[in-house]
Amino acid sequence: MDGAPRRVLALIAAACVAMLAFGMYLQHVVGLEPCPMCVVQRYALIAVAVFTGLASLRAGRGWWMGFGGLALLSAGFGAFVAARQSWLQWYPPEVATCGRDFYGMIENYPISRAIPMIFRGSGDCSAVDWRFLGGSIANWSFLWFVAFSLVLLVLIVRGARRRGR
């Protein structure tokens, strides 16, 4: 693998780390508490950062394409969760009640019940507490996850084409 894809993968990992740091700033300095869907998006962002970081470190084509594929799946999952949260923000449920936090759901319910509860959302997930250029945190997360997915898809397709030659 030449240096350009490795640099792109490292740049994606660095962007994910910067986004996670900004999320921590919003939580601990500004005082915004993340909803369950925000926490799931953070985990997806961590997965993208770890997989792209590992892909940028491994020179073997099989390694970087494997880690790149896992990063692509993680980014796609993050985009799905962010899109669902954006939809809840645009069309909030009629009864907006604050549900349990993410960890409370995982600790008190079996995983088969907790996961649907997370994606169903709550009053917390439909609240828009912060905006930048008209977009909520979920809107911006969706755009970043889609951008990461597209870049990763291009890298993987190019890598597969080179492999076939």
Side-chain angles (χ1 to χ4, degrees):
M1 176 171 148
D2 59 2
R6 290 178 73 180
R7 284 190 294 269
V8 172
L9 291 165
L11 185 62
I12 291 173
C16 290
V17 170
M19 290 171 61
L20 288 164
F22 184 66
M24 292 293 116
Y25 167 80
L26 288 176
Q27 181 177 355
H28 296 290
V29 176
V30 177
L32 299 178
E33 282 300 315
C35 72
M37 289 180 141
C38 294
V39 173
V40 172
Q41 290 172 62
R42 281 187 187 177
Y43 285 132
L45 202 55
I46 290 168
V48 173
V50 167
F51 291 139
T52 54
L54 289 171
S56 71
L57 295 175
R58 298 300 303 229
R61 185 181 312 271
W63 282 101
W64 78 261
M65 286 186 65
F67 284 130
L70 291 172
L72 177 60
L73 289 173
S74 301
F77 175 71
F80 168 76
V81 175
R84 175 70 177 140
Q85 184 177 6
S86 294
W87 188 85
L88 285 172
Q89 290 173 347
W90 292 328
Y91 306 103
E94 290 184 29
V95 178
T97 61
C98 294
R100 292 178 181 245
D101 67 341
F102 177 78
Y103 300 106
M105 287 183 212
I106 297 297
E107 289 174 0
N108 294 311
Y109 295 102
I111 198 77
S112 62
R113 284 193 58 208
I115 290 177
M117 289 172 68
I118 291 167
F119 289 106
R120 194 173 313 119
S122 67
D124 293 334
C125 293
S126 63
V128 179
D129 297 326
W130 182 87
R131 288 191 180 275
F132 179 70
L133 297 176
S136 70
I137 296 170
N139 302 147
W140 283 103
S141 292
F142 174 75
L143 291 176
W144 279 105
F145 278 123
V146 168
F148 294 152
S149 297
L150 292 174
V151 170
L152 289 164
L153 187 62
V154 167
L155 287 176
I156 291 169
V157 168
R158 283 186 181 173
R161 284 187 182 164
R162 287 186 186 147
R163 176 182 255 174
R165 289 182 187 176

